[in-house]
Amino acid sequence: MSSDATLWVLPARPRRKLDKYVAIAALSFRQRLDDRAVLVGRVMFYAIILAIYSRLWQEVLGASGASLLGDRALGHSAASYVWYLAVTEWIMLAQPSVYLEIEADVRNGDVAYQLSRPLSYVGAKLSAALGELALRWLVLGASGLMLGRLFSGEWPNPEGLVGALLVGALAGLVMLLAYVAIGLSAFWLHDVTPIFLIWQKLSFVLGGLMLPIGIYPDWLRVIAEHTPFAALLYGPGQLVVQGGADNVLRLAVTLAAWGALFLMVVVLLERRARRNVCLHGG
Amino acid sequence: MSKSIARTLGSNASFVLALFARQLSASFALRASFFTSAVVMLINDAMFFSTWWVIMRRFGSVSGWNLEDVMCLFGVSASGFGVCVVVFGGVYDLARRVQEGELDTFLTQPKSVLFQALACRTQPSGWGDLAAGIGMFALSGVVSWSRSPWVVLAVLCSAINFTATAVVMHSLAFWIRRIHTLARSLWDFTVTFSLYPPSLFGGALRVVLFTLVPAGLVAYLPVEMLRTPRPLTVLAATGGTVLHAAFALWLFQRGSRHYTSGNRITT
């Protein structure tokens, strides 16, 4: 490595701090690699959803259906909608259930001794989830490419695909922060599944997981566009069909803003949660 | 075989009802949790159905199915699923119980091991599914007072088929190790397919939907009976349900001959 390159390397102390989290992420990646049944289950579910919706789009867009799509539609071919779904489902299905792990730690009291370790509890949970997320990105990404081609019958525009994958990865990171925030609410609620289910279904409807929000009634589309869900799912899905470097940049900035907000919520919740644990005696 | 199955069913019906009553009162002990689970599931189902509302509002119909038809399909599937997990909440864990030797405690009882394993738990969220299903029936306009016996029969068929599907898939744990996740996934796939009109699927996929992932038995046949209650559709729905349930009971009984475990019975 040249001396110039070393300038870009982090100083030793922060690097050592970061090494712990990288090691946790790497370990989580390897552990999840052994849990093949879960990965196979997700890939099968991915295939089934794409199979169902490719049939549905072929059916509704056949004959004169395309003329009913309206001005804000993504495209007029079933293939566009299959690729849209391949991207939104890739983002959604890749998410690890970190909220359940945090909830379990709180419920069985493990969190008390994990807080005393020389590393951030939330940082460690995020690192482990990132390792799992990276594995799922790879497996589901490769599957999604093959399944998308199989069910749509064509490849998407490469520029749009690359943009969608980059922004989709950013969306996945932002969503992970939201999942951690949901998990941390276990310090007050104990059972976070209801909150998660509501978040999931809001993603479903306002994010346009299955259907692009462009075909929604106007009032619902306007509401959806003002929520983080549209940026997390509809945005990357739209990119794979419509592409555009300026769209990638605009969406990345929007996601970064939502990510900063979720990060603040996570930090706030962690601080309050620590106080909560102390109050109850750990 | 049929005599033994009929005897099993008869002698265990009142036992299952007693277990169900116990589970229900236990659920009500944690009232807030019970209502939260049910209400969240109701919201969950309503949000899922909004996809169909958007599609039908835009396109009018899909493969000859309009919004009312899909509401009817959703009503049967959601209600059938709800009844299944409320009465037989143990369906989720059956394969795990087999693999981890947890059937030991049931073997000492004078009642069917299968019915004990199925009815030892209830899922409060199932009430939300049931409420969503009833709401869909009401909104669909397809259902009238004169048709209500068919609605009850269709939901009953669906619930029995959901249970039979789970028993078949989870019974594979007697022969194949670490099947729990796959069994859960196959059951989830059946639920997923049962929420989409059958006219979308043709060819080999239709065969799969009546065998490996039997959404056809769980939803399509009961809905067809409800939409056009003719002798043929009634026979197909009820006959399919009886055969499916009998196969599930037979498979579990065959499988239980292979059951081995470390002893979980302690004194």
Side-chain angles (χ1 to χ4, degrees), chain A residues 37 41 44-45 48-49 52-53 55-56 59-60 65 68-70 194 197 201-202 204-205 211 215-217 219, chain B residues 36 40 44 47-48 50-55 57-59 61-63 181-182 185 189 192-193 196 200-201:
Chain A
M44 282 167 69
F45 185 75
I48 282 172
I49 287 295
I52 290 174
Y53 275 84
R55 285 290 308 132
L56 187 101
E59 203 61 45
V60 296
L68 300 171
L69 279 167
L197 282 175
K201 293 307 157 191
L202 285 174
F204 199 98
V205 178
L211 308 175
I215 68 163
Y216 283 13
W219 63 269
Chain B
T36 307
V40 167
N44 177 65
M47 285 193 176
F48 176 83
S50 67
T51 303
W52 276 115
W53 174 73
V54 170
I55 291 173
R57 194 177 178 278
R58 181 68 67 180
F59 301 103
S61 69
V62 175
S63 306
T181 309
L182 184 63
S185 298
F189 299 158
T192 304
F193 272 112
Y196 294 88
L200 281 176
F201 316 113

Side-chain angles (χ1 to χ4, degrees), chain A residues 14-200:
Chain A
R15 201 177 61 221
R16 270 202 301 276
K17 267 182 129 180
L18 202 63
D19 282 350
K20 290 186 276 192
Y21 298 105
V22 173
I24 291 171
L27 184 66
S28 169
F29 185 97
R30 283 199 298 272
Q31 279 178 336
R32 300 297 174 177
L33 200 56
D34 287 337
D35 205 356
R36 289 189 191 91
V38 174
L39 283 174
V40 170
R42 294 228 166 191
V43 171
M44 282 167 69
F45 185 75
Y46 198 12
I48 282 172
I49 287 295
L50 285 177
I52 290 174
Y53 275 84
S54 68
R55 285 290 308 132
L56 187 101
W57 284 114
Q58 282 163 16
E59 203 61 45
V60 296
L61 296 182
S64 59
S67 62
L68 300 171
L69 279 167
D71 304 334
R72 292 177 180 272
L74 273 184
H76 291 88
S77 69
S80 307
Y81 294 91
V82 171
W83 280 111
Y84 171 86
L85 186 62
V87 170
T88 57
E89 283 288 357
W90 173 66
I91 296 168
M92 202 71 185
L93 287 173
Q95 283 300 314
S97 309
V98 63
Y99 61 95
L100 284 180
E101 288 180 19
I102 296 174
E103 184 199 78
D105 286 347
V106 174
R107 276 189 165 192
N108 60 28
D110 283 357
V111 69
Y113 72 80
Q114 290 195 43
L115 283 173
S116 62
R117 286 178 175 174
L119 77 172
S120 154
Y121 171 73
V122 170
K125 285 288 161 194
L126 259 174
S127 305
L130 269 173
E132 191 176 351
L133 182 63
L135 175 67
R136 289 186 179 182
W137 273 341
L138 291 175
V139 174
L140 292 170
S143 313
L145 281 176
M146 287 186 287
L147 293 168
R149 174 68 181 80
L150 177 71
F151 292 118
S152 72
E154 59 186 61
W155 290 108
N157 168 17
E159 182 210 346
L161 182 64
V162 172
L165 292 178
L166 289 175
V167 178
L170 183 58
L173 295 176
V174 176
M175 205 180 273
L176 191 62
L177 286 171
Y179 278 31
V180 171
I182 291 171
L184 287 173
S185 64
F187 280 92
W188 295 273
L189 302 173
H190 291 273
D191 183 6
V192 299
T193 305
I195 296 187
F196 171 73
L197 282 175
I198 289 171
W199 165 277
Q200 190 193 41

Side-chain angles (χ1 to χ4, degrees), chain B residues 44-108:
Chain B
N44 177 65
D45 289 356
M47 285 193 176
F48 176 83
F49 194 78
S50 67
T51 303
W52 276 115
W53 174 73
V54 170
I55 291 173
M56 294 305 185
R57 194 177 178 278
R58 181 68 67 180
F59 301 103
S61 69
V62 175
S63 306
W65 283 59
N66 56 29
L67 187 61
E68 287 72 27
D69 295 326
V70 180
M71 279 178 165
C72 215
L73 175 71
F74 197 91
V76 169
S77 292
S79 308
F81 182 88
V83 171
C84 166
V85 299
V86 163
V87 181
F88 295 125
V91 288
Y92 286 115
D93 287 336
L94 192 56
R96 189 188 55 76
R97 282 181 194 279
V98 171
Q99 280 167 3
E100 294 179 7
E102 286 188 15
L103 297 185
D104 286 8
T105 44
F106 301 134
L107 285 166
T108 58

